[in-house]
Amino acid sequence: MAENGALQLATTRKWRIPLLIFFKDARNVFKMDEIGVGILRIAVPAAMALAADPVASLIDTAFIGHLGAVEIAAVGVSIAIFNQASKVTILPLVNITTSFVAEEDTVQRNDQNSAKKEVIEKGFVTINDEEKGKRHIPSASTALICGGILGLLQAILLIFCAKPLLSIMGVKSDSPMITPARKYLTLRALGSPAVLLSLAMQGVFRGFKDTKTPLYATIIGDVTNVILDPIFIFICGLGVSGAAIAHVLSQYLMSLILLWRLMKEVDLLPPTGKDLQFRRFLKNGFLLLVRVIAATICVTLAASRAARLGPTPMAAFQVCLQVWMTSSLLADGLAVAAQAIIASAFAEKDYQKATTTATRVLQMSFFLGLGLAVVVGFVAGTQPINSIAFVFDGVNYGASDFTYSAYSMVLVAIASIGSIFVLFKAGGFVGIWVALTIFMGLRTFAGVWRMGTGTGPWRFLRC
């Protein structure tokens, strides 16, 4: 009895140190149990969809590269501006949508199952009398309205502020990059509504734990882009403008496919305007907006430093950044799985499932990062750190820990911005990449600190 009591006390004390949770059941990291299969079923299609767009951008870069170093550098700056503007507007919306839809869908399914079970037990219906109506998810309708409005605002901003934005990025009026960069950015901005809407709808499907539908739509859109690129760039002789037009058309096609599929599953017209959740979206969206802006400043600042080195270093930076982000986004597939599953688990108050899922995806991300570092090399040498940082985002969002995510990123950004200025001055091109490594390392530390200390939504780990 005494030995059993001592063993129980030791175990209790052990798990009062939440930092050890990251190593829990590490031997099962590749086990294909219910958790492992569930994660991969969501993560693999999500990773493929997330990686598809940067791959399409790499193909864009390859085609534009035949036009010359000035053109590829100009497009690189424009893509950096467009991507960062999109992140500022859509990432908060996508992540909030995923969590809210997952919570609402879980609660509704549980309520429906309970009601059906009660009715079946009373003998009124049989198990086969299952309803086949559309889902009523207010968060889905809210996300589409917000996405449409934000898309229009982004398009207006980029079209009318193209020149000053390029100037901020180091492309001045006398630069040979200014004309092709302005053409590409202005035309690409016309696709902003489609980009925002399609990504908002991807957030809805992720909340349903359906990442295959966004994957199919993304593949169709990107294949269309690849086919149209050489036609518009070379055959029609439109140059960088042709590349932008091809990308815009592919985005609208993708958006239409997703809308068609979503309308089959969800009633997008809520009974009343009160069912929409604008206040909830705005409150948490603002927090994530602060986070995204802080992260965006770091990456954009790094790109602007590279642009000041001239067209050739900027072209090299653009290629390296695309490779870096493409490989990193593979880990984001695990983050999507973590967010969807953990959000559902918290809605059900199944903390054991939430903890097991979080630790499993973090362990998976570490090994994924090692594999990416070996395969890609050079700029991907920091992939173990990057992978864990991306997955921690999904873990925190799944737990609706939006406040900590925002404030911690602000602190990370302040330190990272300082390192970019100092290391750029000391090491130039290499210094920029060292600073970006510090940025990702601090993001990872922030995630480890939150869950590892058992604070916020993870306080139950200290019990």
Side-chain angles (χ1 to χ4, degrees), residues 370-390:
L370 289 178
L372 291 173
V374 172
V375 172
V376 183
F378 185 54
V379 296
T382 60
Q383 286 307 300
I385 298 174
N386 295 6
S387 297
I388 296 174
F390 276 107

Side-chain angles (χ1 to χ4, degrees), residues 205-437:
F205 281 110
R206 290 177 188 178
F208 293 152
K209 301 182 181 66
D210 174 12
T211 52
K212 290 184 179 180
T213 298
L215 172 61
Y216 297 148
T218 300
I219 290 176
I220 293 173
D222 287 342
V223 169
T224 301
N225 182 34
V226 171
I227 293 173
L228 294 178
D229 258 342
I231 295 175
F232 288 142
I233 294 174
F234 304 115
I235 297 177
C236 297
L238 296 176
V240 296
S241 297
I245 293 171
H247 204 93
V248 168
L249 291 177
S250 69
Q251 290 294 333
Y252 276 100
L253 175 60
M254 190 186 310
S255 182
L256 288 174
I257 293 172
L258 288 172
L259 181 60
W260 171 64
R261 289 294 303 165
L262 188 60
M263 289 176 65
K264 288 188 172 184
E265 298 187 29
V266 179
D267 185 0
L268 296 178
L269 296 176
T272 64
K274 294 180 179 180
D275 292 323
L276 298 175
Q277 303 181 18
F278 289 117
R279 180 176 296 180
R280 190 182 183 200
F281 267 70
L282 289 174
K283 176 184 176 181
N284 294 285
F286 176 77
L287 290 171
L288 287 193
L289 178 62
V290 171
R291 175 185 173 82
V292 172
I293 290 176
T296 297
I297 289 174
C298 294
V299 178
T300 304
L301 180 62
S304 69
R305 299 299 99 181
R308 282 169 167 76
L309 295 175
T312 301
M314 180 58 202
F317 177 84
Q318 170 63 18
V319 173
C320 289
L321 185 64
Q322 289 293 333
V323 173
W324 193 62
M325 293 304 296
T326 299
S327 54
S328 297
L329 286 174
L330 292 174
D332 218 10
L334 289 173
V336 171
Q339 182 179 4
I341 297 174
I342 291 173
S344 296
F346 269 94
E348 297 176 316
K349 300 188 185 303
D350 188 348
Y351 300 125
Q352 178 63 38
K353 183 177 181 180
T355 303
T356 303
T357 301
T359 55
R360 183 72 64 87
V361 294
L362 288 168
Q363 292 162 4
M364 286 180 171
S365 69
F366 175 75
F367 286 101
L368 174 62
L370 289 178
L372 291 173
V374 172
V375 172
V376 183
F378 185 54
V379 296
T382 60
Q383 286 307 300
I385 298 174
N386 295 6
S387 297
I388 296 174
F390 276 107
V391 172
F392 261 123
D393 288 345
V395 170
N396 288 333
Y397 297 158
S400 294
D401 199 7
F402 300 121
T403 301
Y404 177 79
S405 296
Y407 294 157
S408 62
M409 181 58 77
V410 170
L411 294 177
V412 167
I414 291 173
S416 300
I417 289 171
S419 68
I420 290 173
F421 279 111
V422 173
L423 293 174
F424 169 73
K425 186 175 181 180
F429 186 84
V430 175
I432 294 174
W433 284 104
V434 173
L436 287 175
T437 301

